[in-house]
Structure formats: C-alpha cells, structure tokens
Amino acid sequence: MDILALEAKSQNGAEAEKKPTPKPKPKAPKKTKRIVYFEVEILDLKTKEKLLLLDKVSLMFCAAKCLRDEEVLQTLPVGTTASFYFSDMGPQLTWGTVFLAECVGPLILYLMFYFRLPFIYSPKYDFTSSKHWVVHLACMCHSFHYIKRVVETLFVHRISHGTMPLRNIFKNCGYYWCSAAWMAYYINHPLYTTPHYGQQQVNAGLYIFLVSFGFDILNVLFISGSKVKKIPYPTKNPFTWIFWLVSCPNYTYELGSWIGFTVMTQCVPVAFFTIVAFVQMTVWAKGKHRSYLKEFRDYPTLRSSILPFIL
C-alpha cells in the first residue's frame, strides 16, 4: 500500500510539472491623448495686413480688448483656423497705478492748502490754522475718504482690465487733482465763511458723511476677493442688505459721502464735484447693472443701478 501511494504521488507530481504556467496577459496599450492643433493668423487691426502666421498651435492664452486674460484658444468658438487682430495700443499703465495716482494726489494737495503752505495765500497766513471747527472736520473727512480709496486699491478692488493707455493718467489725475485743489482752496481760505445754518447744518452734513462712509467700509470688509463673476447677494451682515435694492452700493455710499461733505462745507466747488461724480458713477453703475442682467437670467429684477427705485 505504501509503495502504491508513493507511486501515485510521484505520478501526480510529474503531471503537475508538465502543466504549463499561465502566460501573463499583455498590457493594454496606453491611449494616446488627442492633441488639437490650430492655425492662427495675426493681422493688423487697421490695415488688415497679415503680421504673423502661427502653425500647429496646441494651446494659447489670448489677451485682447474683447477677450479675457484667462481665455484659452481651444475654448473659443473658432475652427482649426483662427484670425486675431493686433492693435498697437501704445504705452500702457496698470489700472492700479492710475487709481493710486488719482487718490494720492488729492490727499496731498488738500493737506497743502489745509496747512497753508507758502505761495498759496497771502504771506501773513503762511502755516496758520483756521479758527472754524468745520474746516478741520472737512480736512479729516476728505483725508479719510482718500486713504480708504488707497487701501481699497491695494487690497480690495478686483481690477478686471490689466492696463490702460498712458494718456489716461493725465486726464484722470487732472480731473481729481484740480477738483481737490479747487475745493481745498476755498474751504481752507482765511476768509472762508461757515454754513448758513451754522452748527446744525455742519452736524447734519457730518452725520450723512459718517453714515455713508461707515456703511461703505463695513460693506467692503465682506466683499469676496474672488475674480469669478457672480450675482452679489446680501448676507447676515446688515450692511450688505442694500444689495436687495441696488447693484452698486459702493457708488451709492460714495454719493452719500459727497452729499454729506457738500452740506457740511456749503462750498460751490464741492457741490460741482458731487454733481459731476454722480453723473459719472451713474454711467458706471448702469453699465454694470446691464452686464448683470445680460449675463444672469435670474438676476433680481427689483434692483436699481445706484438709487433704490429711482435710477
């Protein structure tokens, strides 16, 4: 019995040795990524002359007046051949640089008139101080306003365009700087007269300014820094509730600040600047409001652009 069992085991072992080992399955070939190539023509915007032809372009980021910086060629509604028009826009400056120049200039100029530096008024008034408390309040309000704008430019504002023509800095700064000098000259003048209704008018104007200024600051603190364009909605923060009524509350608050400053100082140049600023901010606000309505079908219809239920 033991011999038979041993023979059976040896036969089974021989059969096991004869069985071929299974061959490993061949690996499936890797799928090659499909690469789409484009042929890109770059033409002069004015003469339509072909400046450059790019062949077999696989990926390209496009930056132009009508295209966003993050646009990718593959996502644009073009075929395998695309034509781009090149326009020499001349020397450019970043928007942030222009905004800073617009704000820093009025801040410095106003303080020059406030401290009555030489060659501004009569020599006997050099480095003197006004006896009217409203003049000092006006200087503080004006300074706080432009300091806030500088901080917003550096840390808050979402600038959608990269650059602007160099000539714009002269136009923009000329307007803001001249306006600041004009109002500062009269408010800080040694012969300046206080508002007609006295301290009550000053207090009313200061209250309007502080409420608008404070609401604007607290509203800015809760603005998201994301570059993704979306519908702004009110949050639990009560200072954002104005979004139920207007699309651009920053312009609404700024308008309120300048109205308060006008009432407080009773100065014609300030009133003129406020009117011009209101017209310009209305144009900007209506443009932004229209872009919201065009881009978002579910945009709240109750909202106005800058003045609730009016404009």
Side-chain angles (χ1 to χ4, degrees):
M1 294 293 292
D2 294 337
I3 295 172
L4 292 174
L6 184 59
E7 290 178 356
K9 286 182 180 180
S10 61
Q11 288 178 0
N12 292 337
E15 289 177 0
E17 289 178 359
K18 290 179 182 179
K19 288 182 179 179
T21 56
K23 294 181 180 180
K25 293 182 179 180
K27 293 182 178 180
K30 292 183 178 180
K31 294 183 178 179
T32 57
K33 294 183 178 180
R34 184 185 177 188
I35 301 176
V36 180
Y37 293 101
F38 296 89
E39 185 179 275
V40 179
E41 289 182 341
I42 300 179
L43 301 90
D44 188 277
L45 182 62
K46 294 181 179 179
T47 65
K48 304 297 186 294
E49 178 186 355
K50 186 183 293 186
L51 303 177
L52 185 65
L53 176 65
L54 302 177
D55 192 19
K56 291 187 177 181
V57 179
S58 59
L59 185 66
M60 186 174 76
F61 290 89
C62 308
K65 184 178 180 181
C66 56
L67 295 177
R68 294 188 295 269
D69 289 345
E70 62 270 16
E71 294 271 20
V72 180
L73 182 60
Q74 291 174 329
T75 63
L76 297 177
V78 296
T80 55
T81 301
S83 297
F84 290 85
Y85 292 92
F86 171 79
S87 177
D88 184 3
M89 302 179 70
Q92 300 284 304
L93 283 175
T94 62
W95 279 65
T97 302
V98 178
F99 289 161
L100 286 175
E102 291 175 359
C103 301
V104 173
L107 179 62
I108 296 174
L109 283 171
Y110 195 100
L111 291 175
M112 291 172 61
F113 284 90
Y114 175 74
F115 290 111
R116 295 177 178 172
L117 298 184
F119 307 108
I120 297 178
Y121 303 112
S122 177
K124 66 179 180 180
Y125 295 114
D126 290 350
F127 299 108
T128 59
S129 179
S130 175
K131 62 181 180 180
H132 303 301
W133 178 237
V134 64
V135 173
H136 307 297
L137 284 177
C139 181
M140 288 187 285
C141 291
H142 189 274
S143 299
F144 288 154
H145 173 77
Y146 280 102
I147 290 172
K148 177 186 75 72
R149 289 190 58 179
V150 169
V151 172
E152 288 177 352
T153 301
L154 293 174
F155 304 107
V156 178
H157 279 328
R158 183 183 65 187
I159 302 175
S160 56
H161 299 84
T163 61
M164 68 167 63
L166 176 62
R167 63 180 180 274
N168 282 18
I169 194 171
F170 302 104
K171 177 182 65 177
N172 294 15
C173 290
Y175 166 69
Y176 283 104
W177 293 17
C178 291
S179 297
W182 188 25
M183 65 178 71
Y185 176 82
Y186 285 100
I187 295 174
N188 298 285
H189 198 283
L191 301 180
Y192 170 77
T193 55
T194 56
H196 179 72
Y197 294 102
Q199 193 62 37
Q200 290 182 342
Q201 182 175 338
V202 173
N203 292 342
L206 180 62
Y207 177 78
I208 296 171
F209 177 88
L210 291 178
V211 170
S212 301
F213 184 78
F215 270 58
D216 193 16
I217 289 179
L218 293 172
N219 179 59
V220 166
L221 291 177
F222 290 86
I223 291 179
S224 171
S226 172
K227 291 188 176 182
V228 179
K229 193 173 183 181
K230 56 185 180 180
I231 301 176
Y233 283 107
T235 63
K236 294 181 180 179
N237 169 28
F239 299 103
T240 64
W241 292 353
I242 194 174
F243 272 116
W244 290 115
L245 302 175
V246 295
S247 296
C248 305
N250 55 318
Y251 295 142
T252 307
Y253 291 137
E254 175 137 356
L255 175 62
S257 297
W258 283 111
I259 290 175
F261 195 71
T262 302
V263 172
M264 180 175 63
T265 59
Q266 193 175 296
C267 183
V268 173
V270 179
F272 179 81
F273 179 83
T274 301
I275 294 171
V276 175
F278 171 62
V279 173
Q280 182 60 72
M281 287 190 291
T282 301
V283 173
W284 291 336
K286 289 180 75 67
K288 192 171 184 179
H289 184 72
R290 282 194 299 268
S291 68
Y292 278 136
L293 292 173
K294 185 177 180 180
E295 189 166 351
F296 302 106
R297 294 183 178 179
D298 57 340
Y299 193 75
T301 56
L302 181 64
R303 294 186 190 178
S304 303
S305 56
I306 186 171
L307 295 179
F309 311 112
I310 300 174
L311 190 62

